[in-house]
Amino acid sequence: MAGERMASYSEDLQAAALGYHRRPKPGKLEIQASKPLANQRDLALAYSPGVAAACNAIAADPAQAAELTVRSNLVAVVTNGTAVLGLGNIGPLAAKPVMEGKAVLFKKFAGIDVFDIEIAAETVDRVVETVAALEPTFGGINLEDIKGPECFEIEAMLKDRMKIPVFHDDQHGTTIIVGAAVKNALALTGKDISKVKIVAAGAGAAALACLNLLVSLGAQRKNIFVCDLEGLVYQGRNVLMDRWKEVYAQKTDKRTLAEVIPGADIFLGLSGPNVLSQDMVKQMAELPLVMALANPTPEIMPEDVRKVRPDAMICTGRSDFPNQVNNVLCFPYIFRGALDVGATAINEAMKHAAVDAIVQLAREAPADPVSVGLDNDEAFGFGPGSLIPSPVDPRLILRIAPAVAMAAMDSGVATRPITSFDDYYAQLERFAFRSGLVMKPVFAKAKGQPVRVINAEGEDEKVLHAVQTILEEKLARPILVGRPSVVEARIKRSGLSIRPGEDFDLVNPQDDPRYRSYVQSYIDIAGRAGVTPAAARAVVRTNSTVIAALAVARGEADAMICGLDGRYMNHLRHVRDVIGRRPGVSDYAALALLITKKGPIFIADTQVRPNPTAEELAELAALAAVHVQRFNIKPKIAFLSHSDFGSFPTDSSLKMRRATAILAEKHPEIEADGEMQGDSALSETSRQMILPHSRLTGVANVLIMPNLDTAIVAYQMIKVVGEALPVGPILIGPALPAHILTPSATARGILNMTAVAVVEAQERAGRHQGTLFA
C-alpha cells in the first residue's frame, strides 16, 4: 500500500511539475532591466550614444567591467547533458529545465544572476573550447551534469585557461558537505582522520572528489577502499579503470564491498539503492559514520542501519532525514564569496574555508531549533543528528560567503579585496531578509510537529489542491468541512490522489454523528449572544465557519482557516462568537504580509479596526511582533503618519506618536519608532536626515497604519504595483488559532497560511517556545 501511495503521489507530482513549468509562461527564468528606461534620456544613457562611455572605460581598464556591467554577479551554469540527475545522457536540450532550476537556486539563495547554457558538445575539447570562449561574459562558471571521467579533464583544462572561478558542483558541492560531516563525526567520536578506514561505494565524479578532499584533510590513501560496478578498485585491474580511480587502487586480494567493509569507520555511498546490507553495517567499527547518499533511494535506509547499529551516525541525500547532504548548502554561498572579491579561481583554500564554516555552524546552537527542521531529539545542538546544518538555516550565507572571500584574499586569487568585513556581513544580512525565502522557516517549524488544521471551505478546489501539497510537505493533518460526494467529485475532477478518511478527515455538515453535541456546544458558547436553539440547529447544519470554529473550541482541531466564500466580517463575527478573544486583548486585528522584491513588509490593521486608538495601536504592534518573529524576522516597527517626527501635528499624527510612546514603555525590547512618513520608514538614509537618533535602525518591516483606510489602500497598492506575493491576512487576537482568508486567496496562499496556523498552534500548545512574549 505504501508503495502504491508513493507512486500515486509521484504521478501527481509529475503532472504538477509540468503545469508549474508551463504556466503562467514557459520556464522558470526571465531577464529584467535593472535600470529605468522611462524616457529618451534613459535610452541615451543605456544605449547609444551614452553606452560608448562604458565601453571605452572597459577598453582602457578591463577591471571596470565589474563596476559597469553585470559580469561580476553573473554565472554561467553549463552542461552538455551527458549525466543529468539520475536520468543519464539525455542531451543538452532535455537538461535545460535542470539548469534553469539551478539558476533559480543561485538567485534565490545568494542573489546571483545566471544564464543557463546547454551546449551540443560531447568531446572534452569541444566543451572546453566553447566554455573558455565565454569568459568575457561571466564572473564564474558552474559546470553541471557532465559525465565522468570527462568532467575531471574538462574542469582541469578550463581552470588552466580561464581567469574566473570554474566549479564543477557535482564534484565539489557534495565534497564540501561530506568533508564537514566527516570532520564533525570524527570530533564526536574522537577518531583521528589519518587512522580511520574509509570504504566508498561509487567511483564517479562526486565520490572521487570527496575522497580527494578527505585526503587533503588528512585521510590516508592506504586506508581508503573504493568499489564500483566491477567491485573493488585494486592494483592490476584493467576493466573500467582510469587515472583518477587508479590513485585509490589497493594492493589486496579482496574484490568486493562485503570483503572490505569489516572495520570501516566511514562508509561513503554515492552509488545506487540497497548497495549496503545490514550484515555489512554490523561489521563496521564502533561509532561508524554511514553516508548513504544515493537519491531517491539510499544505499541503505536509516531505520535499517539503526536496527543493527544504534551507535551509527547517518547521513543521506534526502530531506526527510537528519543530516541531509544537499549541494544547496554550499554552492550559492561559495560563488557569492568568490564573486564578491573578484576571485580568479575557486581553490583548495576556499573549499577548505567552506568546509570549516559549515563545521562551525553545525556546532552552534540553532538560532531557532524548530526553524531548521530538526526533530526534538536533534534540535538542541551539535550531535549525531546534527552533524551538518539544515539547508534552510538562514545563517549559511553569513558564514560561508565571508569565509570563502577571506580565503580567496589570503590565497592571493582575489582581485577586489573586501576592505570592511563588518560592512560585507551587514550587506549579506540585508540580502538574507529580502531573498524571497520568507516562508521557509515557517514551513520548517510546521514540519517539526504537525497539528490538526480544519478548513471550513473543504469543497473548494483551491483548498483540495492545497491539501495535496500539505500532505506531500507533511505540514499538518487536514480536516475539511464538506459534503463527501462533492469533495470526492472535485478531487477526481482535479486529478488529485488524496482520499477522505485516509489522508484527511472530513466533517459532513449534512450527516455528522456529532451534530447534536455540536449544536449544544454552540448554544453553550453563543446562547447569550442571541443564538437560540432553533438558530443553533440551522447554523450548525449550514455554516461551515461555525462548524470549524466549534471543532477548534471543542479541541477536535488545533487551528482553523476560513474566508474563501463570503465577506470577511461575517466570518469574523462567527469566530468572535465561538472562539472569542485572547485574554487581555481589546479586539481582533489583521496583519497582512507582502513579500516584495525588496523584502517582507507586514501591514496592520488591514481588515478589522476602522480607527484604532493609540492604546489599541500599541497593543496591535506588540501582538504583530510575535507573529513576525515566527518567520525568524526581527520586527522593526514604524508607526506611519502624514507627519514626520512632529513636522505636522494633527490629531492623527499625535495619536501615532502616543502609540509609539506606549509601546516603548510597555515593550522596550521591541525596536520601533514614529510618527513617521512612509519613505522615512523604508529608507534609513531619509530617516537619518530628519532624526539621526531614531530608535529604529535599517528598514522597517512592520508598518502600523493610523486607520483601516490607509492600511487597506497601502496593502492593495503595494501588492499590485510592487508585484508582491501576499500572505494572510493573519488574524491577531483570537483565543485559539483561527485565520480568515479572502476569496482571492490562491492554493499557495492557503498552503502558506496553513503553515502559519500550524506554527501558532504549536506555540499555543507549548510544543516550542515563542520568541518574544506569550
Side-chain angles (χ1 to χ4, degrees):
M1 179 63 73
E4 293 174 4
R5 301 289 294 140
M6 181 74 74
S8 178
Y9 276 122
S10 179
E11 292 171 4
D12 295 331
L13 186 61
Q14 181 177 349
L18 291 174
Y20 175 88
H21 283 79
R22 286 190 178 112
R23 296 182 293 274
K25 55 185 176 182
K28 298 188 284 282
L29 299 172
E30 66 180 2
I31 295 175
Q32 291 187 345
S34 62
K35 302 291 169 61
L37 289 169
N39 51 48
Q40 189 65 34
R41 178 169 174 78
D42 289 343
L43 190 60
L45 294 173
Y47 199 54
S48 179
V51 72
C55 295
N56 289 331
I58 295 170
D61 178 9
Q64 287 292 304
E67 298 181 16
L68 297 173
T69 74
V70 73
R71 184 175 185 262
S72 63
N73 194 52
L74 186 62
V75 166
V77 173
V78 182
T79 189
N80 63 358
T82 52
V84 182
L85 299 177
L87 305 175
N89 187 353
I90 61 174
L93 184 59
K96 188 172 179 63
V98 180
M99 301 308 112
E100 286 188 0
K102 195 64 175 277
V104 169
L105 295 178
F106 267 108
K107 185 66 174 179
K108 285 293 185 182
F109 283 92
I112 296 170
D113 295 311
V114 166
F115 289 161
D116 63 292
I117 298 180
E118 297 76 30
I119 57 177
E122 292 202 9
T123 67
V124 169
D125 289 342
R126 181 82 183 274
V127 173
V128 170
E129 289 300 322
T130 303
V131 176
L134 298 172
E135 184 168 353
T137 303
F138 297 101
I141 303 291
N142 184 96
L143 300 173
E144 192 80 18
D145 291 352
I146 299 173
K147 70 183 178 74
E150 289 90 338
C151 60
F152 296 112
E153 195 73 39
I154 288 168
E155 185 190 40
M157 292 173 68
L158 287 173
K159 282 184 171 181
D160 286 343
R161 290 183 57 170
M162 302 180 80
K163 298 302 182 185
I164 58 175
V166 177
F167 187 83
H168 184 209
D169 185 46
D170 297 322
Q171 296 180 55
H172 306 302
T174 301
T175 295
I176 287 164
I177 305 162
V178 164
V182 167
K183 288 189 74 170
N184 274 337
L186 297 182
L188 288 171
T189 60
K191 296 180 180 180
D192 184 342
I193 193 170
S194 67
K195 297 178 181 177
V196 296
K197 179 179 179 181
I198 302 171
V199 175
L208 294 177
C210 287
L211 295 175
N212 291 342
L213 181 68
L214 293 178
V215 169
S216 73
L217 293 174
Q220 300 295 306
R221 284 190 173 88
K222 66 181 181 180
N223 298 329
I224 298 174
F225 298 80
V226 179
C227 298
D228 61 9
L229 293 174
E230 285 295 315
L232 183 70
V233 174
Y234 60 90
Q235 291 182 11
R237 195 181 105 173
N238 297 315
V239 181
L240 286 180
M241 290 296 290
D242 54 54
R243 62 188 178 94
W244 295 280
K245 283 186 193 176
E246 190 68 44
V247 172
Y248 294 101
Q250 292 282 5
K251 186 176 182 180
T252 177
D253 59 357
K254 296 181 172 62
R255 295 293 182 265
T256 66
L257 176 63
E259 290 179 291
V260 296
I261 198 71
D265 298 281
I266 298 170
F267 170 79
L268 175 61
L270 285 155
S271 52
N274 307 316
V275 168
L276 188 67
S277 69
Q278 287 182 309
D279 187 58
M280 294 180 192
V281 174
K282 286 180 184 177
Q283 300 177 63
M284 293 182 71
E286 290 185 8
L287 301 171
L289 172 62
V290 177
M291 308 191 78
L293 306 183
N295 247 331
T297 306
E299 286 79 3
I300 186 170
M301 295 298 289
E303 57 266 28
D304 293 331
V305 174
R306 294 190 185 97
K307 287 176 184 176
V308 295
R309 292 301 299 269
D311 63 329
M313 291 170 283
I314 310 165
C315 298
T316 72
R318 290 172 43 152
S319 62
D320 51 347
F321 296 111
N323 293 324
Q324 182 194 11
V325 176
N326 185 331
N327 288 7
V328 79
L329 259 168
C330 66
F331 75 81
Y333 317 122
I334 290 172
F335 269 97
R336 182 73 277 159
L339 292 173
D340 289 339
V341 294
T344 58
I346 293 176
N347 56 27
E348 289 302 304
M350 294 159 75
K351 288 186 278 186
H352 281 210
V355 170
D356 290 340
I358 296 170
V359 165
Q360 293 305 317
L361 180 57
R363 296 181 185 184
E364 294 180 26
D368 183 337
V370 185
S371 75
V372 293
L374 303 175
D375 296 332
N376 281 346
D377 292 341
E378 299 148 353
F380 298 104
F382 178 49
S386 301
L387 295 175
I388 47 182
S390 164
V392 302
D393 194 314
R395 299 168 297 177
L396 285 165
I397 192 172
L398 306 178
R399 300 292 191 275
I400 298 174
V404 169
M406 180 67 77
M409 291 163 57
D410 291 344
S411 59
V413 297
T415 62
R416 299 190 305 274
I418 292 170
T419 56
S420 171
F421 270 86
D422 287 341
D423 291 345
Y424 182 52
Y425 187 89
Q427 173 188 328
L428 295 174
E429 193 170 39
R430 285 194 298 272
F431 167 78
F433 289 109
R434 66 171 188 263
S435 63
L437 301 175
V438 175
M439 291 302 302
K440 272 192 169 293
V442 178
F443 273 76
K445 292 179 184 182
K447 289 181 182 182
Q449 298 165 323
V451 300
R452 302 162 299 171
V453 178
I454 186 167
N455 198 302
E457 287 92 7
E459 297 176 0
D460 191 297
E461 290 189 21
K462 292 185 293 185
V463 172
L464 297 173
H465 279 278
V467 166
Q468 179 87 44
T469 309
I470 289 165
L471 292 168
E472 291 171 357
E473 295 283 340
K474 300 178 182 178
L475 291 178
R477 173 67 182 185
I479 305 170
L480 303 184
V481 180
R483 294 162 292 177
S485 61
V486 176
V487 170
E488 290 174 6
R490 291 179 180 175
I491 288 173
K492 184 176 181 180
R493 184 170 69 188
S494 300
L496 303 174
S497 65
I498 53 177
R499 301 175 186 176
E502 184 174 340
D503 297 312
F504 63 91
D505 299 319
L506 188 60
V507 178
N508 180 4
Q510 295 182 340
D511 184 22
D512 192 281
R514 298 166 293 183
Y515 169 71
R516 292 183 182 277
S517 63
Y518 265 54
V519 169
Q520 188 58 52
S521 294
Y522 192 34
I523 293 170
D524 292 342
I525 293 170
R528 292 184 179 275
V531 177
T532 66
R537 288 191 292 271
V539 168
V540 174
R541 281 273 190 231
T542 60
N543 193 298
S544 60
T545 296
V546 170
I547 295 170
L550 286 168
V552 174
R554 288 159 57 95
E556 295 170 5
D558 302 297
M560 70 168 284
I561 292 175
C562 63
L564 294 180
D565 182 21
R567 295 184 179 277
Y568 188 95
M569 295 307 293
N570 290 339
H571 292 281
L572 183 66
R573 176 168 55 84
H574 295 307
V575 170
R576 179 182 279 118
D577 288 346
V578 177
I579 290 180
R581 292 196 305 269
R582 197 166 182 176
V585 175
S586 62
D587 196 2
Y588 294 122
L591 177 68
L593 166 59
L594 290 167
I595 302 175
T596 76
K597 294 178 181 179
K598 292 189 175 182
I601 297 175
F602 294 83
I603 301 176
D605 168 17
T606 57
Q607 296 289 343
V608 182
R609 307 188 194 193
N611 190 21
T613 66
E615 290 76 13
E616 290 173 335
L617 289 170
E619 174 190 87
L620 170 58
L623 293 171
V626 177
H627 285 280
V628 171
Q629 289 203 132
R630 292 190 178 118
F631 292 82
N632 279 5
I633 296 172
K634 180 183 178 182
K636 293 176 176 285
I637 299 175
F639 289 86
L640 294 194
S641 172
H642 62 83
S643 173
D644 234 353
F645 300 108
S647 65
F648 188 6
T650 64
D651 289 345
S652 175
S653 64
L654 292 174
K655 176 179 75 170
M656 301 309 286
R657 188 187 304 181
R658 175 165 165 72
T660 305
I662 294 170
L663 181 68
E665 180 182 351
K666 292 187 175 181
H667 296 288
E669 72 279 12
I670 300 177
E671 187 175 330
D673 210 343
E675 86 283 10
M676 69 180 76
Q677 294 179 355
D679 57 347
S680 297
L682 300 177
S683 169
E684 185 171 33
T685 301
S686 297
R687 188 168 59 253
Q688 286 184 341
M689 291 175 63
I690 299 165
L691 189 70
H693 305 296
S694 170
R695 292 191 295 272
L696 182 65
T697 61
V699 176
N701 51 35
V702 183
L703 308 181
I704 304 298
M705 299 295 183
N707 55 48
L708 185 59
D709 289 344
T710 53
I712 195 64
V713 168
Y715 168 76
Q716 291 173 343
M717 290 186 69
I718 294 171
K719 182 176 72 170
V720 175
V721 177
E723 298 180 349
L725 173 66
V727 178
I730 300 167
L731 186 61
I732 293 176
L736 296 168
H739 297 285
I740 306 169
L741 305 183
T742 60
S744 62
T746 63
R748 180 165 292 277
I750 297 166
L751 174 71
N752 286 338
M753 278 308 300
T754 298
V756 171
V758 168
V759 173
E760 182 182 1
Q762 290 171 343
E763 291 187 6
R764 295 287 189 98
R767 298 188 190 180
H768 58 79
Q769 292 294 317
T771 48
L772 194 62
F773 33 76

